[in-house]
Amino acid sequence: MHRPLCPVETLYVGQRSRAVLSCALRGRVDAGALAAAFDAVTQAHPTLRARIVADGGGHALALLDETERPRLETRTADLEEAYATELNRPLTLGGPLSRAVLVSAPGGTEHLFVLVVDHTVTDGHSSITLHNTVWDHYRALVTDERPQPGRADAGTADAPEWPEPVSALLPPADEADTAAYLDARIARAKESPVELVRYDPARTGGGAGDEGHIEVCRLTLDTDRTARLRGRAREAGVSVHALIAAALLRTARRRLDGDGPRTLGCLSPVDLRSRLTPPLPASVMVPAVTTHLQTLEVSETSDPLDLARTVHARVNDFIARGAHFHEMRITPEIPRNPALQLATVIVTNMGVVPGPRLPDGLRAVDVRLVPGRENYFPQAGRSPVMACVVSFEGRLSIEFPHSTACFSPAFMRAFRDEVLDALLAFASEPRREPATTDVG
């Protein structure tokens, strides 16, 4: 009934971070069928109907009893206010690691579905897959399609088959090699400390006893502009992720004092699912991601395409060397060496993903993925800026979650607008021949 958390998963326990999937809908929703669909999915994934408990000197997942397992919540409310509420509503400490809410606007034709999952048991890819699976079950129920099969390893209600942690699926490694990798990473972090973005002095929170609340500033491109940005990235021999990272780095540099180059850090999550042998399906509810941190000298005059080429080449080299596996192995050392993941900008990248497949008469107006957490530490005075990047159905979206105790809405809107201007410039500039990039 218990499944110990591995050291990597345990890091998420203190963070209390969560993935917030939301889907704005137009049409008729059968709340009973949606509740049954959510029940079917949580039955197939024991991690979704579990809580975190103390286990010796660590933590473990423990199955909730039938009366405690999560069920679909429904209510009528203003949808914009409901989204803000759910974004700021933490999962209950010691309670279920998932929550599903259906909010309907007065009139009953517009709705918001919100699915929240603790990052201890999910990552971006698995949370998106989970969201779409809920709607697959819903569609099957309301159209009399054959129901989707549950996970083969779900087990029984009394003896669940817990998924293995990704740290147990890594290829074998020599302990001396891992130790040498850790030493080198710590040395590089000390040699090149990165600058962070100072909190906005005009922030709306941050007073004594005021920890603010989470807001999200959002950037979106339509399908045409998204396609043009992808095309320019291909022509330049870089990824869209690298273009976005370059835009963020240049925008962050303009928030720093002084002239000349400054050392900035770019943290890029790296998916491990497709790089394991055999690959791990996105339906398996475990966090399966590591990170790549690189430092770059960025000045007011840095060429954005040159920055993008550097980011792109270094990430590719990191993966080609198999360093992503070493990075996962040293993750438990982060609490003792936080500089290992300290960056000026954090740029996630889910890539191009499908939205939910819905029955006739129901349409997804908007789909969003936003990370949230409990502590933003306004007392630190500065922090990284996070950008959550995903393309649902061919439309690029960048979400900038932040605490109002750290950055004001006006500050984040200005940051977002500069990033947007940079991406539009990328999408429209003429082709340039790729340059040789130093990947050291």
Side-chain angles (χ1 to χ4, degrees), residues 330-396:
I330 70 167
T331 298
E333 297 296 323
I334 291 171
R336 289 182 287 274
N337 299 281
L340 292 174
Q341 283 194 342
L342 194 60
T344 314
V345 296
I346 301 172
V347 194
T348 74
N349 184 12
M350 296 297 103
V352 179
V353 297
R357 295 175 57 221
L358 302 173
D360 292 341
L362 184 62
R363 182 167 66 92
V365 179
D366 194 15
V367 184
R368 302 176 68 174
L369 168 62
V370 176
R373 54 191 170 94
E374 296 311 292
N375 299 310
Y376 284 82
F377 304 107
Q379 63 272 22
R382 63 190 69 195
S383 75
V385 173
M386 168 169 262
C388 181
V389 185
V390 63
S391 294
F392 284 107
E393 304 295 350
R395 295 183 294 274
L396 179 72

Short mmCIF file of all heavy atoms in Angstrom, two decimals, residues 330-396:
data_model
loop_
_atom_site.label_atom_id
_atom_site.label_comp_id
_atom_site.label_asym_id
_atom_site.label_seq_id
_atom_site.Cartn_x
_atom_site.Cartn_y
_atom_site.Cartn_z
N ILE A 330 22.59 13.45 -10.10
CA ILE A 330 23.09 14.39 -9.09
C ILE A 330 21.99 15.30 -8.54
O ILE A 330 22.26 16.13 -7.66
CB ILE A 330 24.25 15.25 -9.64
CG1 ILE A 330 23.73 16.25 -10.67
CG2 ILE A 330 25.36 14.38 -10.20
CD1 ILE A 330 24.74 17.34 -11.01
N THR A 331 20.76 15.15 -9.03
CA THR A 331 19.66 16.01 -8.58
C THR A 331 19.50 16.03 -7.06
O THR A 331 19.22 17.09 -6.49
CB THR A 331 18.35 15.59 -9.26
OG1 THR A 331 18.48 15.75 -10.68
CG2 THR A 331 17.18 16.44 -8.79
N PRO A 332 19.67 14.91 -6.34
CA PRO A 332 19.54 14.97 -4.88
C PRO A 332 20.54 15.91 -4.20
O PRO A 332 20.36 16.26 -3.02
CB PRO A 332 19.76 13.51 -4.45
CG PRO A 332 19.34 12.70 -5.64
CD PRO A 332 19.78 13.52 -6.81
N GLU A 333 21.60 16.33 -4.93
CA GLU A 333 22.59 17.23 -4.34
C GLU A 333 22.16 18.70 -4.41
O GLU A 333 22.84 19.56 -3.83
CB GLU A 333 23.93 17.07 -5.08
CG GLU A 333 24.54 15.69 -4.95
CD GLU A 333 24.91 15.37 -3.51
OE1 GLU A 333 25.36 16.29 -2.79
OE2 GLU A 333 24.74 14.20 -3.11
N ILE A 334 21.07 19.00 -5.09
CA ILE A 334 20.67 20.39 -5.28
C ILE A 334 20.40 21.12 -3.97
O ILE A 334 20.81 22.29 -3.83
CB ILE A 334 19.45 20.46 -6.24
CG1 ILE A 334 19.90 20.07 -7.65
CG2 ILE A 334 18.83 21.86 -6.24
CD1 ILE A 334 18.78 19.89 -8.62
N PRO A 335 19.73 20.52 -2.98
CA PRO A 335 19.53 21.27 -1.73
C PRO A 335 20.83 21.72 -1.09
O PRO A 335 20.88 22.78 -0.45
CB PRO A 335 18.78 20.26 -0.85
CG PRO A 335 18.06 19.38 -1.81
CD PRO A 335 19.00 19.24 -2.97
N ARG A 336 21.90 20.94 -1.24
CA ARG A 336 23.20 21.32 -0.68
C ARG A 336 23.97 22.27 -1.60
O ARG A 336 24.86 22.99 -1.14
CB ARG A 336 24.05 20.07 -0.40
CG ARG A 336 23.53 19.24 0.77
CD ARG A 336 24.43 18.04 1.04
NE ARG A 336 24.29 17.01 0.03
CZ ARG A 336 23.36 16.05 0.08
NH1 ARG A 336 22.50 16.02 1.08
NH2 ARG A 336 23.28 15.14 -0.87
N ASN A 337 23.61 22.26 -2.88
CA ASN A 337 24.30 23.10 -3.86
C ASN A 337 23.26 23.75 -4.78
O ASN A 337 23.15 23.40 -5.97
CB ASN A 337 25.28 22.27 -4.69
CG ASN A 337 26.37 21.63 -3.87
OD1 ASN A 337 27.34 22.27 -3.50
ND2 ASN A 337 26.20 20.35 -3.56
N PRO A 338 22.47 24.70 -4.28
CA PRO A 338 21.39 25.27 -5.09
C PRO A 338 21.86 25.96 -6.36
O PRO A 338 21.08 26.10 -7.31
CB PRO A 338 20.71 26.27 -4.13
CG PRO A 338 21.71 26.51 -3.04
CD PRO A 338 22.50 25.26 -2.92
N ALA A 339 23.14 26.36 -6.42
CA ALA A 339 23.63 27.01 -7.63
C ALA A 339 23.61 26.07 -8.83
O ALA A 339 23.70 26.53 -9.98
CB ALA A 339 25.06 27.53 -7.41
N LEU A 340 23.46 24.76 -8.59
CA LEU A 340 23.39 23.81 -9.69
C LEU A 340 22.18 24.04 -10.59
O LEU A 340 22.17 23.63 -11.75
CB LEU A 340 23.36 22.37 -9.15
CG LEU A 340 24.62 21.86 -8.47
CD1 LEU A 340 24.38 20.48 -7.86
CD2 LEU A 340 25.79 21.82 -9.45
N GLN A 341 21.16 24.68 -10.06
CA GLN A 341 19.97 24.97 -10.87
C GLN A 341 19.59 26.45 -10.83
O GLN A 341 18.46 26.81 -11.16
CB GLN A 341 18.78 24.13 -10.41
CG GLN A 341 18.83 22.69 -10.88
CD GLN A 341 17.52 21.96 -10.71
OE1 GLN A 341 16.63 22.38 -9.98
NE2 GLN A 341 17.37 20.84 -11.39
N LEU A 342 20.51 27.31 -10.44
CA LEU A 342 20.20 28.74 -10.34
C LEU A 342 20.39 29.39 -11.70
O LEU A 342 21.49 29.35 -12.27
CB LEU A 342 21.11 29.40 -9.31
CG LEU A 342 20.69 30.80 -8.84
CD1 LEU A 342 19.31 30.77 -8.22
CD2 LEU A 342 21.72 31.34 -7.87
N ALA A 343 19.32 30.00 -12.22
CA ALA A 343 19.35 30.56 -13.56
C ALA A 343 18.66 31.92 -13.58
O ALA A 343 17.83 32.23 -12.72
CB ALA A 343 18.66 29.62 -14.55
N THR A 344 18.98 32.70 -14.59
CA THR A 344 18.30 33.98 -14.79
C THR A 344 16.92 33.76 -15.39
O THR A 344 15.96 34.43 -15.02
CB THR A 344 19.13 34.89 -15.72
OG1 THR A 344 20.49 34.87 -15.32
CG2 THR A 344 18.59 36.30 -15.70
N VAL A 345 16.84 32.83 -16.33
CA VAL A 345 15.57 32.48 -16.95
C VAL A 345 15.41 30.97 -16.95
O VAL A 345 16.38 30.23 -17.13
CB VAL A 345 15.43 33.04 -18.39
CG1 VAL A 345 15.44 34.56 -18.38
CG2 VAL A 345 16.54 32.51 -19.30
N ILE A 346 14.19 30.52 -16.73
CA ILE A 346 13.84 29.11 -16.83
C ILE A 346 12.87 28.97 -17.99
O ILE A 346 11.82 29.60 -18.00
CB ILE A 346 13.19 28.60 -15.53
CG1 ILE A 346 14.14 28.81 -14.34
CG2 ILE A 346 12.79 27.13 -15.65
CD1 ILE A 346 13.49 28.52 -12.99
N VAL A 347 13.25 28.17 -18.97
CA VAL A 347 12.46 28.07 -20.21
C VAL A 347 12.03 26.63 -20.41
O VAL A 347 12.82 25.79 -20.86
CB VAL A 347 13.27 28.56 -21.43
CG1 VAL A 347 12.33 28.78 -22.62
CG2 VAL A 347 14.06 29.82 -21.11
N THR A 348 10.80 26.31 -20.05
CA THR A 348 10.31 24.96 -20.29
C THR A 348 9.94 24.81 -21.75
O THR A 348 9.83 25.80 -22.49
CB THR A 348 9.09 24.63 -19.41
OG1 THR A 348 7.94 25.32 -19.93
CG2 THR A 348 9.31 25.06 -17.97
N ASN A 349 9.73 23.59 -22.18
CA ASN A 349 9.37 23.38 -23.59
C ASN A 349 8.66 22.05 -23.74
O ASN A 349 9.29 21.00 -23.77
CB ASN A 349 10.61 23.41 -24.48
CG ASN A 349 10.26 23.29 -25.95
OD1 ASN A 349 9.09 23.39 -26.33
ND2 ASN A 349 11.25 23.05 -26.78
N MET A 350 7.34 22.09 -23.85
CA MET A 350 6.55 20.88 -24.07
C MET A 350 6.46 20.52 -25.54
O MET A 350 5.96 19.45 -25.91
CB MET A 350 5.13 21.06 -23.53
CG MET A 350 5.04 21.27 -22.02
SD MET A 350 5.63 19.86 -21.08
CE MET A 350 7.23 20.47 -20.59
N GLY A 351 6.90 21.43 -26.42
CA GLY A 351 6.80 21.18 -27.85
C GLY A 351 5.36 21.32 -28.34
O GLY A 351 4.52 21.97 -27.72
N VAL A 352 5.08 20.67 -29.46
CA VAL A 352 3.75 20.71 -30.06
C VAL A 352 2.95 19.53 -29.54
O VAL A 352 3.35 18.37 -29.70
CB VAL A 352 3.84 20.65 -31.60
CG1 VAL A 352 2.44 20.69 -32.21
CG2 VAL A 352 4.69 21.81 -32.12
N VAL A 353 1.83 19.80 -28.89
CA VAL A 353 1.03 18.74 -28.27
C VAL A 353 -0.42 18.87 -28.72
O VAL A 353 -0.90 19.97 -29.03
CB VAL A 353 1.12 18.78 -26.73
CG1 VAL A 353 2.55 18.54 -26.27
CG2 VAL A 353 0.61 20.11 -26.20
N PRO A 354 -1.15 17.75 -28.75
CA PRO A 354 -2.56 17.82 -29.14
C PRO A 354 -3.44 18.27 -27.99
O PRO A 354 -3.13 18.05 -26.82
CB PRO A 354 -2.87 16.36 -29.53
CG PRO A 354 -1.96 15.56 -28.64
CD PRO A 354 -0.69 16.37 -28.52
N GLY A 355 -4.53 18.91 -28.34
CA GLY A 355 -5.54 19.22 -27.35
C GLY A 355 -6.48 18.04 -27.19
O GLY A 355 -6.32 16.99 -27.85
N PRO A 356 -7.48 18.16 -26.33
CA PRO A 356 -8.40 17.04 -26.10
C PRO A 356 -9.31 16.80 -27.31
O PRO A 356 -9.68 17.73 -28.02
CB PRO A 356 -9.21 17.51 -24.89
CG PRO A 356 -9.17 19.00 -24.95
CD PRO A 356 -7.81 19.34 -25.49
N ARG A 357 -9.67 15.53 -27.52
CA ARG A 357 -10.64 15.16 -28.55
C ARG A 357 -12.02 15.10 -27.90
O ARG A 357 -12.27 14.29 -27.01
CB ARG A 357 -10.28 13.81 -29.18
CG ARG A 357 -8.96 13.81 -29.94
CD ARG A 357 -8.61 12.42 -30.43
NE ARG A 357 -9.68 11.87 -31.26
CZ ARG A 357 -10.09 10.61 -31.19
NH1 ARG A 357 -9.55 9.77 -30.31
NH2 ARG A 357 -11.05 10.18 -31.98
N LEU A 358 -12.89 15.98 -28.33
CA LEU A 358 -14.18 16.15 -27.68
C LEU A 358 -15.32 15.67 -28.57
O LEU A 358 -15.19 15.64 -29.80
CB LEU A 358 -14.40 17.63 -27.31
CG LEU A 358 -13.33 18.24 -26.39
CD1 LEU A 358 -13.55 19.73 -26.25
CD2 LEU A 358 -13.35 17.56 -25.03
N PRO A 359 -16.46 15.32 -27.99
CA PRO A 359 -17.61 14.89 -28.80
C PRO A 359 -18.25 16.08 -29.51
O PRO A 359 -18.00 17.24 -29.18
CB PRO A 359 -18.56 14.31 -27.75
CG PRO A 359 -18.22 15.03 -26.49
CD PRO A 359 -16.74 15.25 -26.54
N ASP A 360 -19.05 15.79 -30.52
CA ASP A 360 -19.77 16.84 -31.23
C ASP A 360 -20.60 17.65 -30.23
O ASP A 360 -21.17 17.10 -29.28
CB ASP A 360 -20.69 16.24 -32.29
CG ASP A 360 -19.90 15.60 -33.43
OD1 ASP A 360 -18.71 15.94 -33.58
OD2 ASP A 360 -20.49 14.76 -34.15
N GLY A 361 -20.66 18.95 -30.46
CA GLY A 361 -21.44 19.81 -29.59
C GLY A 361 -20.64 20.41 -28.44
O GLY A 361 -21.17 21.21 -27.67
N LEU A 362 -19.36 20.01 -28.34
CA LEU A 362 -18.50 20.58 -27.30
C LEU A 362 -17.17 20.94 -27.94
O LEU A 362 -16.56 20.13 -28.64
CB LEU A 362 -18.29 19.56 -26.18
CG LEU A 362 -17.48 20.05 -24.97
CD1 LEU A 362 -18.18 21.21 -24.27
CD2 LEU A 362 -17.25 18.90 -23.98
N ARG A 363 -16.71 22.18 -27.69
CA ARG A 363 -15.49 22.67 -28.33
C ARG A 363 -14.54 23.22 -27.28
O ARG A 363 -14.96 23.91 -26.35
CB ARG A 363 -15.84 23.75 -29.35
CG ARG A 363 -14.65 24.31 -30.11
CD ARG A 363 -15.11 25.14 -31.30
NE ARG A 363 -15.83 26.34 -30.89
CZ ARG A 363 -15.24 27.52 -30.69
NH1 ARG A 363 -13.93 27.64 -30.85
NH2 ARG A 363 -15.96 28.56 -30.36
N ALA A 364 -13.25 22.90 -27.44
CA ALA A 364 -12.21 23.47 -26.58
C ALA A 364 -11.82 24.83 -27.14
O ALA A 364 -11.29 24.94 -28.24
CB ALA A 364 -11.01 22.55 -26.51
N VAL A 365 -12.10 25.88 -26.38
CA VAL A 365 -11.78 27.23 -26.81
C VAL A 365 -10.32 27.56 -26.52
O VAL A 365 -9.66 28.27 -27.28
CB VAL A 365 -12.70 28.25 -26.10
CG1 VAL A 365 -12.37 29.68 -26.51
CG2 VAL A 365 -14.17 27.93 -26.39
N ASP A 366 -9.81 27.04 -25.42
CA ASP A 366 -8.44 27.34 -25.02
C ASP A 366 -7.95 26.25 -24.07
O ASP A 366 -8.71 25.74 -23.24
CB ASP A 366 -8.40 28.70 -24.30
CG ASP A 366 -6.98 29.25 -24.14
OD1 ASP A 366 -6.07 28.73 -24.80
OD2 ASP A 366 -6.81 30.19 -23.35
N VAL A 367 -6.68 25.88 -24.22
CA VAL A 367 -6.05 24.90 -23.33
C VAL A 367 -4.76 25.53 -22.80
O VAL A 367 -4.00 26.14 -23.56
CB VAL A 367 -5.73 23.58 -24.06
CG1 VAL A 367 -5.17 22.55 -23.09
CG2 VAL A 367 -6.98 23.03 -24.75
N ARG A 368 -4.52 25.37 -21.49
CA ARG A 368 -3.36 25.99 -20.87
C ARG A 368 -2.67 25.02 -19.92
O ARG A 368 -3.32 24.17 -19.30
CB ARG A 368 -3.76 27.25 -20.09
CG ARG A 368 -4.46 28.28 -20.92
CD ARG A 368 -4.92 29.48 -20.10
NE ARG A 368 -3.80 30.28 -19.60
CZ ARG A 368 -3.94 31.44 -18.95
NH1 ARG A 368 -5.16 31.91 -18.71
NH2 ARG A 368 -2.87 32.10 -18.55
N LEU A 369 -1.35 25.17 -19.80
CA LEU A 369 -0.56 24.46 -18.81
C LEU A 369 0.29 25.49 -18.09
O LEU A 369 1.08 26.20 -18.72
CB LEU A 369 0.35 23.42 -19.47
CG LEU A 369 1.44 22.80 -18.57
CD1 LEU A 369 0.81 22.05 -17.40
CD2 LEU A 369 2.35 21.89 -19.37
N VAL A 370 0.11 25.57 -16.76
CA VAL A 370 0.85 26.55 -15.96
C VAL A 370 1.38 25.85 -14.70
O VAL A 370 0.63 25.17 -14.02
CB VAL A 370 -0.05 27.74 -15.55
CG1 VAL A 370 0.70 28.70 -14.64
CG2 VAL A 370 -0.56 28.47 -16.79
N PRO A 371 2.66 26.01 -14.37
CA PRO A 371 3.15 25.49 -13.10
C PRO A 371 2.85 26.47 -11.97
O PRO A 371 2.85 27.68 -12.16
CB PRO A 371 4.66 25.37 -13.34
CG PRO A 371 4.96 26.45 -14.35
CD PRO A 371 3.72 26.59 -15.20
N GLY A 372 2.57 25.92 -10.81
CA GLY A 372 2.36 26.75 -9.62
C GLY A 372 3.07 26.13 -8.44
O GLY A 372 3.38 24.95 -8.44
N ARG A 373 3.34 26.94 -7.43
CA ARG A 373 3.95 26.42 -6.21
C ARG A 373 3.53 27.29 -5.04
O ARG A 373 2.85 28.30 -5.21
CB ARG A 373 5.48 26.35 -6.33
CG ARG A 373 6.17 27.63 -6.74
CD ARG A 373 7.63 27.35 -7.09
NE ARG A 373 8.30 28.48 -7.71
CZ ARG A 373 9.01 29.38 -7.06
NH1 ARG A 373 9.13 29.28 -5.74
NH2 ARG A 373 9.61 30.36 -7.68
N GLU A 374 3.96 26.89 -3.86
CA GLU A 374 3.51 27.57 -2.65
C GLU A 374 4.41 28.73 -2.25
O GLU A 374 3.93 29.74 -1.76
CB GLU A 374 3.45 26.56 -1.48
CG GLU A 374 2.41 25.47 -1.68
CD GLU A 374 1.07 26.03 -2.09
OE1 GLU A 374 0.44 26.72 -1.25
OE2 GLU A 374 0.66 25.84 -3.24
N ASN A 375 5.72 28.60 -2.45
CA ASN A 375 6.65 29.59 -1.93
C ASN A 375 7.42 30.26 -3.05
O ASN A 375 8.07 29.60 -3.86
CB ASN A 375 7.64 28.92 -0.96
CG ASN A 375 6.93 28.29 0.24
OD1 ASN A 375 6.13 28.95 0.89
ND2 ASN A 375 7.22 27.03 0.52
N TYR A 376 7.36 31.59 -3.08
CA TYR A 376 8.09 32.37 -4.08
C TYR A 376 9.19 33.23 -3.46
O TYR A 376 9.89 33.92 -4.16
CB TYR A 376 7.11 33.24 -4.88
CG TYR A 376 6.33 32.45 -5.90
CD1 TYR A 376 5.19 31.74 -5.53
CD2 TYR A 376 6.74 32.39 -7.22
CE1 TYR A 376 4.48 30.99 -6.46
CE2 TYR A 376 6.04 31.65 -8.16
CZ TYR A 376 4.90 30.95 -7.77
OH TYR A 376 4.22 30.22 -8.70
N PHE A 377 9.33 33.24 -2.17
CA PHE A 377 10.43 33.87 -1.45
C PHE A 377 10.67 35.32 -1.83
O PHE A 377 11.73 35.69 -2.35
CB PHE A 377 11.72 33.06 -1.66
CG PHE A 377 11.60 31.62 -1.27
CD1 PHE A 377 11.53 30.62 -2.23
CD2 PHE A 377 11.51 31.26 0.07
CE1 PHE A 377 11.39 29.30 -1.87
CE2 PHE A 377 11.38 29.92 0.43
CZ PHE A 377 11.32 28.94 -0.54
N PRO A 378 9.69 36.19 -1.57
CA PRO A 378 9.89 37.62 -1.87
C PRO A 378 11.04 38.23 -1.08
O PRO A 378 11.63 39.23 -1.51
CB PRO A 378 8.55 38.25 -1.47
CG PRO A 378 7.92 37.28 -0.54
CD PRO A 378 8.36 35.93 -1.00
N GLN A 379 11.40 37.61 0.06
CA GLN A 379 12.49 38.15 0.88
C GLN A 379 13.84 38.04 0.18
O GLN A 379 14.81 38.71 0.58
CB GLN A 379 12.53 37.42 2.24
CG GLN A 379 12.83 35.94 2.18
CD GLN A 379 11.58 35.08 2.00
OE1 GLN A 379 10.55 35.57 1.52
NE2 GLN A 379 11.67 33.82 2.38
N ALA A 380 13.94 37.22 -0.88
CA ALA A 380 15.21 37.07 -1.58
C ALA A 380 15.58 38.32 -2.38
O ALA A 380 16.76 38.55 -2.66
CB ALA A 380 15.17 35.86 -2.50
N GLY A 381 14.59 39.10 -2.79
CA GLY A 381 14.87 40.33 -3.51
C GLY A 381 15.10 40.17 -5.00
O GLY A 381 15.09 41.15 -5.74
N ARG A 382 15.30 38.96 -5.46
CA ARG A 382 15.53 38.69 -6.88
C ARG A 382 15.31 37.20 -7.14
O ARG A 382 15.35 36.40 -6.21
CB ARG A 382 16.96 39.10 -7.29
CG ARG A 382 18.05 38.32 -6.58
CD ARG A 382 19.42 38.93 -6.85
NE ARG A 382 19.56 40.23 -6.20
CZ ARG A 382 20.50 41.11 -6.47
NH1 ARG A 382 21.35 40.87 -7.46
NH2 ARG A 382 20.59 42.24 -5.83
N SER A 383 15.11 36.84 -8.39
CA SER A 383 14.86 35.43 -8.71
C SER A 383 14.94 35.23 -10.21
O SER A 383 15.03 36.20 -10.99
CB SER A 383 13.46 35.01 -8.22
OG SER A 383 12.45 35.55 -9.06
N PRO A 384 14.89 33.97 -10.66
CA PRO A 384 14.74 33.71 -12.09
C PRO A 384 13.34 34.14 -12.56
O PRO A 384 12.42 34.29 -11.77
CB PRO A 384 14.89 32.19 -12.20
CG PRO A 384 15.52 31.75 -10.92
CD PRO A 384 15.05 32.73 -9.88
N VAL A 385 13.22 34.33 -13.86
CA VAL A 385 11.92 34.52 -14.50
C VAL A 385 11.59 33.22 -15.22
O VAL A 385 12.41 32.70 -15.99
CB VAL A 385 11.94 35.69 -15.49
CG1 VAL A 385 10.63 35.76 -16.27
CG2 VAL A 385 12.20 37.00 -14.75
N MET A 386 10.39 32.69 -14.95
CA MET A 386 9.98 31.42 -15.56
C MET A 386 9.06 31.65 -16.74
O MET A 386 8.15 32.49 -16.69
CB MET A 386 9.28 30.51 -14.55
CG MET A 386 8.60 29.31 -15.19
SD MET A 386 8.03 28.08 -14.02
CE MET A 386 9.39 26.93 -14.10
N ALA A 387 9.32 30.89 -17.81
CA ALA A 387 8.46 30.90 -18.99
C ALA A 387 8.08 29.47 -19.31
O ALA A 387 8.94 28.64 -19.57
CB ALA A 387 9.18 31.54 -20.17
N CYS A 388 6.79 29.17 -19.27
CA CYS A 388 6.28 27.83 -19.58
C CYS A 388 5.79 27.84 -21.02
O CYS A 388 4.82 28.53 -21.34
CB CYS A 388 5.16 27.47 -18.61
SG CYS A 388 4.48 25.81 -18.89
N VAL A 389 6.47 27.09 -21.89
CA VAL A 389 6.23 27.14 -23.33
C VAL A 389 5.55 25.87 -23.80
O VAL A 389 6.02 24.76 -23.53
CB VAL A 389 7.56 27.32 -24.09
CG1 VAL A 389 7.31 27.51 -25.58
CG2 VAL A 389 8.35 28.50 -23.52
N VAL A 390 4.45 26.02 -24.53
CA VAL A 390 3.76 24.86 -25.09
C VAL A 390 2.97 25.31 -26.30
O VAL A 390 2.51 26.46 -26.36
CB VAL A 390 2.84 24.20 -24.04
CG1 VAL A 390 1.73 25.14 -23.60
CG2 VAL A 390 2.26 22.89 -24.55
N SER A 391 2.84 24.43 -27.28
CA SER A 391 2.02 24.73 -28.46
C SER A 391 0.89 23.72 -28.53
O SER A 391 1.10 22.55 -28.86
CB SER A 391 2.87 24.65 -29.74
OG SER A 391 3.84 25.67 -29.77
N PHE A 392 -0.32 24.16 -28.15
CA PHE A 392 -1.51 23.32 -28.29
C PHE A 392 -2.12 23.57 -29.66
O PHE A 392 -2.41 24.72 -30.02
CB PHE A 392 -2.54 23.66 -27.21
CG PHE A 392 -2.21 23.11 -25.84
CD1 PHE A 392 -1.78 23.94 -24.84
CD2 PHE A 392 -2.35 21.75 -25.58
CE1 PHE A 392 -1.49 23.44 -23.58
CE2 PHE A 392 -2.05 21.24 -24.33
CZ PHE A 392 -1.62 22.09 -23.33
N GLU A 393 -2.27 22.49 -30.42
CA GLU A 393 -2.93 22.57 -31.74
C GLU A 393 -2.30 23.64 -32.63
O GLU A 393 -2.99 24.38 -33.34
CB GLU A 393 -4.43 22.86 -31.56
CG GLU A 393 -5.17 21.87 -30.69
CD GLU A 393 -5.22 20.46 -31.30
OE1 GLU A 393 -4.85 20.31 -32.46
OE2 GLU A 393 -5.65 19.53 -30.58
N GLY A 394 -0.95 23.74 -32.60
CA GLY A 394 -0.26 24.62 -33.52
C GLY A 394 -0.21 26.07 -33.13
O GLY A 394 0.22 26.91 -33.95
N ARG A 395 -0.62 26.42 -31.92
CA ARG A 395 -0.58 27.81 -31.46
C ARG A 395 0.39 27.93 -30.29
O ARG A 395 0.17 27.32 -29.24
CB ARG A 395 -1.97 28.29 -31.04
CG ARG A 395 -2.96 28.35 -32.19
CD ARG A 395 -4.31 28.90 -31.72
NE ARG A 395 -4.96 28.00 -30.78
CZ ARG A 395 -5.73 26.98 -31.11
NH1 ARG A 395 -5.96 26.72 -32.38
NH2 ARG A 395 -6.29 26.21 -30.19
N LEU A 396 1.45 28.71 -30.47
CA LEU A 396 2.46 28.87 -29.42
C LEU A 396 1.89 29.70 -28.27
O LEU A 396 1.25 30.73 -28.47
CB LEU A 396 3.69 29.57 -29.99
CG LEU A 396 4.82 29.83 -28.97
CD1 LEU A 396 5.52 28.54 -28.60
CD2 LEU A 396 5.82 30.84 -29.54
#
